[in-house]
Amino acid sequence: MKHQLTLAVKKHSIAIERFLRVARHRGFALTNLELEGATNDNLFHVKMTVDSDRPIYLLTTQLSKLVEVKDVQLHTLKQQAI
């Protein structure tokens, strides 16, 4: 199932690497990534789409534990019938 996540991440180069590594280690394939530069709040705003048969809470709970991640929002995408 595909899920779209919106993250607010501290503006550190290592932060992006860390949340991508968490997604990979939890068994989620990254299918789309949009990164908006930091504004006056010193955060990157990231929209990412992941795909996996695993429950999404396995990823969202781990992402929210990262020090660099300030906010995680989940948007479940509907699957199209084949």
Side-chain angles (χ1 to χ4, degrees), residues 16-54:
I16 296 167
E17 182 180 330
R18 283 188 179 149
F19 77 75
L20 290 174
R21 185 177 52 213
V22 167
R24 185 179 66 245
H25 282 261
R26 295 288 172 225
F28 288 84
L30 183 67
T31 60
N32 189 26
L33 180 71
E34 296 177 32
L35 177 68
E36 292 183 18
T39 56
N40 54 356
D41 58 1
N42 256 353
L43 298 173
F44 285 126
H45 298 282
V46 181
K47 285 184 182 178
M48 60 189 258
T49 305
V50 294
D51 191 11
S52 181
D53 292 333
R54 303 185 80 187

Side-chain angles (χ1 to χ4, degrees), residues 1-7 28 30-34 46-51 56 59-60 63 72-79:
M1 178 177 270
K2 287 191 177 190
H3 300 279
Q4 185 179 44
L5 300 167
T6 304
L7 308 172
F28 288 84
L30 183 67
T31 60
N32 189 26
L33 180 71
E34 296 177 32
V46 181
K47 285 184 182 178
M48 60 189 258
T49 305
V50 294
D51 191 11
I56 191 64
L59 179 58
T60 56
L63 288 174
V72 178
Q73 295 178 8
L74 172 64
H75 313 282
T76 302
L77 301 175
K78 294 182 180 177
Q79 290 279 338

